[in-house]
Amino acid sequence: MIETRPFMRAMYQYGFQLEWWDAEKAISVYEEMLELNPDDNQGVRYMVLPQYLHRKAYQKAEQLLNNYPEESTFWLFHRAFIEYKKHGRSQKIEQLLREADQANPYVLDTCFLQK
């Protein structure tokens, strides 16, 4: 809704500023924003995902990735990271890294992947 844009922009900035002082509160603000705007036109998911990972909230991070399926490099590498943190090195992590590397070959040194 166009009428709510100023409020949502203010919430976004509030959450961003809270990251420095009260990260748990920032996460709450971001989660509330995702409830208010499930389409996430502001890209709040990109702000809350690193917060989840920093706190080792892998289940919440994985749920976020599943709620917003996309094939961006950002999302693919984070999916691989979560898989690695949950299960260690495996064939699945190798596949996820290959997919992420194909999305953007400049992020990883390709010799890292088993060929």
Side-chain angles (χ1 to χ4, degrees):
M1 295 177 57
I2 293 173
E3 303 85 35
T4 66
R5 283 183 183 171
F7 173 72
M8 294 298 284
R9 287 180 185 140
M11 280 188 80
Y12 186 91
Q13 287 302 315
Y14 179 56
F16 180 73
Q17 295 302 316
L18 280 172
E19 286 185 27
W20 294 97
W21 312 110
D22 187 350
E24 294 300 324
K25 179 68 174 167
I27 290 170
S28 295
V29 169
Y30 292 146
E31 289 173 341
E32 183 179 354
M33 290 182 71
L34 290 172
E35 286 179 31
L36 292 171
N37 180 12
D39 291 336
D40 190 27
N41 304 90
Q42 291 178 280
V44 173
R45 63 186 175 269
Y46 301 112
M47 301 298 285
V48 74
L49 180 61
Q51 295 296 325
Y52 286 156
L53 296 177
H54 183 70
R55 282 153 193 76
K56 299 180 178 158
Y58 301 128
Q59 187 173 359
K60 281 187 168 190
E62 198 166 34
Q63 183 62 46
L64 185 70
L65 291 170
N66 292 336
N67 287 348
Y68 298 95
E70 58 182 72
E71 298 298 318
S72 71
T73 301
F74 183 83
W75 235 228
L76 292 169
F77 274 107
H78 280 89
R79 188 172 295 282
F81 176 79
I82 293 167
E83 179 66 24
Y84 176 77
K85 294 305 269 184
K86 287 175 65 179
H87 304 291
R89 190 120 188 206
S90 66
Q91 286 183 332
K92 184 171 182 179
I93 186 71
E94 294 290 332
Q95 179 59 37
L96 289 169
L97 284 173
R98 280 190 190 88
E99 289 173 15
D101 189 56
Q102 287 173 355
N104 186 340
Y106 301 103
V107 176
L108 279 182
D109 179 10
T110 55
C111 68
F112 174 73
L113 300 174
Q114 294 180 0
K115 300 207 180 205

